[in-house]
Structures are given as C-alpha cells and as structure tokens.
Amino acid sequence: MAKVSAVNAPGTDGRARIRARARRRLALVAAVALPILLGGCQVPNFWGYRGKTAQGQDTFKLYAGTFIAAIVVGAIVAALIIWAIVAYRRRGSDELPRQFQYHIPLEITYTVIPVIIVLVLFAFTVITENKVDAVTASPDVKVRVIAFQWGWTFAYSNEHLVMTGETTGDPDPVGLAGKPCAPVQDCYGPGLVIPANQTTRITLVSNDVIHGFYVPQFNFSRYAQPGVTNVFDLNPTKVGIYRAQCTQLCGLYHSLMFFHVVVLPQDQYQAWVKVEQAKGGNFSAGSDTNLGTSPNIPAYPGVGTTSTTTSTTTSTTGGTSTTSSTTGASTTTSTTKAGA
C-alpha cells in the first residue's frame, strides 16, 4: 500500500491557515497590549500627580484621559502597521499587488476620526480649565502672594498677618500636629499655610520681574507678573506639606527661590494664626493694599535691604543749594553754589 505524502495529507492546508490566523491574532493582541504593559508600572498615574486640591484632581483627570486616548490611538496605529507587514509580506513572487488610486471611504474615515478625537479633547480641556479657573464669591481665606527677587511674601487679609521669607530661609517652619516641618526637602523657603477642605483665595503679584508660582502636587502653576494681578482659588483636600518653587528664570538666585505650602486641619490652622499674631506679625486693617508696590525687601541672601521708595530733600543756605536723595539704606548728597 502506497504511503500518503505528509505534504498532501488531507487537512494539512487547513491547519496551516489556522496557524497563520492565530499568529496574526497574537500579533494584534501584542500590539494592543504592549503600550499598556509598558506603562503599567504607573497605571493609573502615568508618572503624574493625582492632585492634592480639587482643581489639581480635575487637571489630573484631563491628563490621564489624554494619556489613555494616546495609548488607544497608538495601539490601533501599531496594530494596523503590524497587520500590513504580515498580510502584505512578500511571498516569493515579483508580481505587484493590485494598485488603488483612491479609496474614498477609507480616506474619509482616517480624516474624520482624528478630527473627532481633537474636538473631544478640546471640549474636555475647556471644561477643565473653566473648573480650575473658577473663583467663589466668598472664600474662607484670602492671601496676597507677592513674589520678589528672591523670595515670597504671604499677606493674610482676614487674619491681618504678613509672613515674608527669602530664598531658603523660612520664617514660619510650621509642621503638622505641632511638629517641626519635615521632610526637609519639602520645607525649603517660606511657608504658605492654608486650611484643608476650605477655599483659599490667592491674589498673586510680582514686585519686580516675572516669577512662577508652582506647586507640583497641586498640578498648578501661574505667572507672577509685574503690573498684572492673577486671582485663583485653591481647595486643598489633603493635609500635608508640599514643596513649591519659582518656575521662571528671575535672576541670580532663581534656583534658590523655593517655598512650600502647609495644609493644616482647620483647628491647627486657627492655632497657628493665633501663635503668629502673638509674635507681632499683625498689620492694621487695610494696610495690605500697598503690599507688592514698595515693601522693604532683601537685596540678596543675607546682605542688607533695599527699598523701592525714594525721597529727595533740597535746602538753600547762604546761597548754597544742597540736595539729598535717599534710596533704601544709601544716601547721596550733592552741593551746588547758587547761580552756578
């Protein structure tokens, strides 16, 4: 009895086709799963912060949604590329495949779908920006933040309290539950102290050049610009100490222009206010209106002070005119004879 060749055995071609389809499906699954697996170590944060304020959480949702959309689009594109490589690979023939000049349905599809994706992302961006920029009519705490070279002033309007610090010096090393501020890497620079689960209104100005108010774990950044007042609300949702910094190159000591935000429970916040007021940090009602225009500020770390105010006095005695001009701590005097 003649043997049947394995090549021509019944069902051999069918099994080969099944194995080929299985390989293609496996490649498709790998193309879809690979981006997710590569980012799996950070899912669902995607190397970002979830946000420690209500505004920061809205920002994170937009960021995470955009990241997921990018993964999906990237997986689909990769799958199509792999499919084209596998399905149209060379099979030992020099014959050209059928050529198409136009494919109207396909062209409409790959034009319309990206437009829809962009419009959806744009709509979510507008909605999120409106939430982040919204301000309430009656905030619980009002703080005027004044950036200067190189430090920060925090003026609490309702509490009539002013805290000023430069570079890494912290005039207010407040921590949680009465403990010192820690860890040290989150406590550089002066501290902005605000209560948790309440609305804090920030009025941000600059005393000299452009600075940046940036709190990474709040997913929030704003310019402090001379001549421009930026107003925004922060609604911290979790007690903690959060590092912050200036994000705009503002001069020699920009790299040291840190600050930190201390979010306290309401009772600890009230206790901190009383302690600081007892230290003599009060200012009279309404005196914060000129803050940010001409306060005495540090010239540079550890050396003297300067002032933006200038006074000039002129007196005439015995035909001689004397003019004195004082700016900060420096005084210059010039004498001119009458008639000269």
Side-chain angles (χ1 to χ4, degrees):
M1 182 176 179
K3 293 183 179 180
V4 179
S5 173
V7 175
N8 299 321
T12 299
D13 292 342
R15 286 194 294 272
R17 286 194 294 270
I18 291 174
R19 286 195 295 269
R21 285 197 295 268
R23 286 194 297 270
R24 288 195 291 269
R25 289 171 182 169
L26 181 60
L28 179 61
V29 170
V32 173
L34 186 59
I36 299 175
L37 293 176
L38 290 176
C41 59
Q42 285 294 327
V43 172
N45 289 352
F46 302 112
W47 296 276
Y49 293 107
R50 284 184 168 273
K52 301 300 182 180
T53 65
Q55 294 82 1
Q57 291 168 5
D58 289 331
T59 302
F60 172 77
K61 291 175 184 177
L62 176 64
Y63 166 74
T66 304
F67 207 108
I68 292 171
I71 290 176
V72 172
V73 171
I76 293 174
V77 172
L80 290 174
I81 293 173
I82 294 173
W83 172 76
I85 293 173
V86 174
Y88 297 103
R89 69 190 185 279
R90 185 173 179 177
R91 293 182 173 86
S93 173
D94 293 332
E95 182 180 355
L96 288 175
R98 183 182 175 187
Q99 302 297 300
F100 294 91
Q101 186 175 8
Y102 302 106
H103 196 297
I104 302 301
L106 180 61
E107 293 176 8
I108 292 176
T109 299
Y110 67 62
T111 301
V112 171
I113 290 179
V115 170
I116 292 175
I117 293 174
V118 170
L119 290 176
V120 170
L121 293 177
F122 176 77
F124 279 111
T125 300
V126 171
I127 292 171
T128 301
E129 285 186 347
N130 289 338
K131 288 183 178 179
V132 171
D133 293 336
V135 292
T136 182
S138 54
D140 300 292
V141 178
K142 296 180 181 179
V143 185
R144 186 176 179 87
V145 179
I146 303 133
F148 60 87
Q149 292 176 312
W150 288 270
W152 304 86
T153 292
F154 305 117
Y156 297 77
S157 300
N158 295 341
E159 291 78 6
H160 307 303
L161 180 67
V162 173
M163 307 296 296
T164 298
E166 58 167 320
T167 60
T168 56
D170 186 354
D172 176 42
V174 61
L176 304 178
K179 298 179 181 178
C181 186
V184 65
Q185 64 268 20
D186 292 340
C187 296
Y188 294 142
L192 169 62
V193 184
I194 57 178
N197 300 311
Q198 291 196 340
T199 301
T200 297
R201 169 70 47 76
I202 302 293
T203 302
L204 180 63
V205 297
S206 171
N207 195 61
D208 34 52
V209 299
I210 297 177
H211 299 278
F213 178 98
Y214 176 49
V215 188
Q217 292 200 55
F218 286 7
N219 293 328
F220 191 87
S221 179
R222 280 290 186 277
Y223 282 149
Q225 299 172 275
V228 177
T229 300
N230 281 322
V231 179
F232 53 88
D233 285 351
L234 295 176
N235 294 80
T237 57
K238 187 169 181 172
V239 170
I241 298 174
Y242 307 102
R243 65 178 180 86
Q245 64 193 77
C246 173
T247 53
Q248 301 301 313
L249 183 59
C250 58
L252 182 61
Y253 293 95
H254 160 71
S255 62
L256 300 178
M257 194 170 166
F258 298 104
F259 68 102
H260 59 279
V261 180
V262 183
V263 179
L264 298 176
Q266 177 62 22
D267 56 342
Q268 291 186 30
Y269 173 76
Q270 294 297 337
W272 169 82
V273 169
K274 293 179 181 179
V275 169
E276 295 301 328
Q277 288 177 341
K279 292 179 181 178
N282 295 20
F283 61 91
S284 60
S287 66
D288 61 330
T289 54
N290 291 325
L291 283 173
T293 57
S294 58
N296 290 330
I297 59 175
Y300 55 90
V303 180
T305 60
T306 60
S307 173
T308 57
T309 59
T310 302
S311 60
T312 302
T313 304
T314 302
S315 61
T316 302
T317 305
T320 301
S321 176
T322 302
T323 301
S324 297
S325 177
T326 302
T327 302
S330 63
T331 302
T332 58
T333 302
S334 61
T335 302
T336 306
K337 290 183 178 180

